[in-house]
Amino acid sequence: TRVGTPLYLAPELIKQIPYDFKVDIWSVGCSLYHLCALEPPFLGENSILLGNSIIKNEPKQINNIYTKELGVFITSLLNKKPDERPNTNKCYEFFPDKIIASYKEKIRILNAKKKKE
């Protein structure tokens, strides 16, 4: 079933071919791109044109106020070939250890609070 915004549909969904969790990686890439560029990576005046844009076009480069590494990361998330998109472990590698450690600590605190309740 299709759930979510058509602007973030992965190419494999448009082509109606088997898919896996990599469609979610694609959607994260669309979200990050949208946040950085202030517009979605692919546009179309209707669903057919949008689908064609997603399958055939590449998004514009994000603004150079962001690091080159962020641009490369987002591009990897928006790879048209699902097998070439990073998995979640590879995505974690992008973020500095300090951010991941902070996230893990917050999860630990939340879990501890739940156990007390």
Side-chain angles (χ1 to χ4, degrees):
T1 61
R2 291 190 187 182
V3 178
T5 174
L7 291 170
Y8 293 3
L9 283 177
E12 54 270 35
L13 291 172
I14 294 164
K15 293 177 182 178
Q16 299 182 343
I17 58 176
Y19 63 92
D20 60 13
F21 73 95
K22 294 286 184 100
V23 297
D24 296 323
I25 299 293
W26 173 274
S27 295
V28 169
C30 289
S31 297
L32 287 173
Y33 182 96
H34 201 153
L35 287 168
C36 293
L38 303 177
E39 64 181 40
F42 305 97
L43 294 169
E45 292 180 20
N46 58 49
S47 59
I48 293 171
L49 293 175
L50 175 60
N52 284 333
S53 178
I54 291 169
I55 291 169
K56 296 178 181 176
N57 298 338
E58 295 298 326
K60 295 184 283 187
Q61 293 291 316
I62 62 169
N63 194 313
N64 62 6
I65 63 168
Y66 300 103
T67 64
K68 180 181 177 185
E69 291 81 11
L70 179 61
V72 169
F73 178 62
I74 292 172
T75 299
S76 73
L77 300 176
L78 295 177
N79 193 310
K80 304 233 189 257
K81 297 176 183 173
D83 292 343
E84 294 180 15
R85 286 180 214 141
N87 60 27
T88 52
N89 289 333
K90 286 289 182 190
C91 290
Y92 280 130
E93 290 175 13
F94 171 76
F95 296 99
D97 290 338
K98 195 181 248 185
I99 292 172
I100 297 301
S102 173
Y103 172 76
K104 287 180 180 178
E105 179 63 14
K106 287 178 185 177
I107 295 298
R108 188 191 64 73
I109 291 168
L110 286 172
N111 286 337
K113 285 181 180 179
K114 286 181 183 178
K115 286 181 182 178
K116 288 181 181 179
E117 293 175 352

